[in-house]
Amino acid sequence: MTSGAFFEQERKQGNKMFMIVAPIFLVILVGYCYGRFKPDSGGADKLINDYVLYVALPALLFLAIARADIGELKQWGFILSTLFGIAVSYVIASLIAKAMKIGLPQSSILSMGACYGTTGYMGVPILISVYGQQAALPAAIATILHNIPAIMAVIISWDVFSKRSSGEQIPVLRSVWRAALTTIKNPLTLSVLAGLLFVLLDIKVPAFIESFASFLGNAAGPTALFALGLGLARLNFKEHFNVTVGKTVLPMVMLKLFVQPAITFAAAFYVFGLREDQGLWLAAAVVMAAQPIGAGVYVFAKKYDYQQDVISLSIIVSLLLALATIPLVLNMFPFS
């Protein structure tokens, strides 16, 4: 291939990627604009978020898993590389926090911010928009993989270490059990477990349920992106920004947007051998790892009353940067 033909192919690929990705970010922009022009629509924000979390996304993830063949779920390279990227980012963030004289359990919130992304609200719609419905299965599996470890780590850390600091001790196994119950009760986890039940029992999804879940799930993408824009409109950058906060925000954002996807790619490609024949799974692993910091981190920061301003600013900065970094990540992987 001549250099001219190569650059022409790259240009066409770039244009195609832009045409697919641009509407995704335009929906976020529409949600942001609506939130700015309708500042009194807080009740509507909650309804939209609840619909995404409790109805649309669970329907989409359930169907993606339930329609799969059990052999399709045995993507060990995808699963292990995703978990490896999460674990390494979490540990590095813990070491940075320790160097900054931030110990457990407080550092677990910052570590969660370094590895927990908007996989449901942003990652799922992006993967399906770019790669089609075939991406629904890896998107569903990745969503659960990104939710469970960080959430459990935070809950266990606060259960064990906050109690010890006050002289009270709680058995680790009891804390693990409580953390497991919390993650299992998450509607996204429940929907995937329900889908797995269909697969393991070899039950074909009835046509009525499939049609019903598809109808609900089809709204998940645009609604989740719109809700993401609404959430961004409610965050106040100036209110939280200062130099001290910035010193904590910077490593968290760098780990989430750059280190985690890089580690995930290296593990998937070089260690677990995901190549061209598993290109979709490789792309899904890296794209999900490259998602900005998820709002769930703020939920835990508020729950434990720890540095909500730092987490809020981290979410804002990572989301704004992701508008540029995610298209670059997508451009690394060809799509039809």
Side-chain angles (χ1 to χ4, degrees), residues 36-109:
R36 298 297 292 178
F37 287 120
K38 293 279 189 177
D40 56 345
S41 59
D45 294 10
K46 185 179 185 308
L47 285 174
I48 293 171
N49 276 284
D50 284 351
Y51 175 75
V52 171
L53 182 61
Y54 292 101
V55 180
L57 274 176
L60 178 67
L61 299 184
F62 162 76
L63 204 54
I65 296 292
R67 289 194 295 198
D69 181 86
I70 193 167
E72 294 179 291
L73 300 178
K74 297 178 181 178
Q75 296 289 338
W76 301 118
F78 171 81
I79 292 170
L80 293 174
S81 58
T82 297
L83 291 175
F84 186 73
I86 293 168
V88 171
S89 297
Y90 190 97
V91 170
I92 293 175
S94 299
L95 294 174
I96 293 174
K98 186 176 182 179
M100 297 172 67
K101 310 299 182 186
I102 303 172
L104 286 169
Q106 291 80 6
S107 65
S108 66
I109 299 288

Side-chain angles (χ1 to χ4, degrees), residues 45 52 70 93 95 128 133 139 141 149 163 192-193 216-217 227 261 267 288 317 324 331 333:
D45 294 10
V52 171
I70 193 167
L95 294 174
I128 293 176
Q133 281 299 321
I141 296 174
K163 300 294 184 183
V192 170
L193 292 176
L216 291 174
M288 284 302 218
V317 172
N331 205 36
F333 304 99

Side-chain angles (χ1 to χ4, degrees), residues 13 16-25 122-136 225 280 283-284 287 291 326-327 329-336:
Q13 178 74 4
K16 187 177 181 181
M17 187 271 289
F18 176 80
M19 293 301 293
I20 293 174
V21 174
I24 294 171
F25 293 108
M122 195 168 174
V124 172
I126 286 176
L127 282 177
I128 293 176
S129 296
V130 174
Y131 299 103
Q133 281 299 321
Q134 61 180 342
L225 294 170
L280 175 62
V287 171
Q291 295 303 307
I326 288 179
V329 171
L330 289 169
N331 205 36
M332 292 170 56
F333 304 99
F335 48 85
S336 57

Side-chain angles (χ1 to χ4, degrees), residues 9-39:
Q9 182 178 337
E10 286 293 300
R11 185 187 66 80
K12 288 180 179 179
Q13 178 74 4
N15 289 342
K16 187 177 181 181
M17 187 271 289
F18 176 80
M19 293 301 293
I20 293 174
V21 174
I24 294 171
F25 293 108
L26 283 176
V27 175
I28 298 175
L29 178 62
V30 170
Y32 175 82
C33 292
Y34 181 86
R36 298 297 292 178
F37 287 120
K38 293 279 189 177

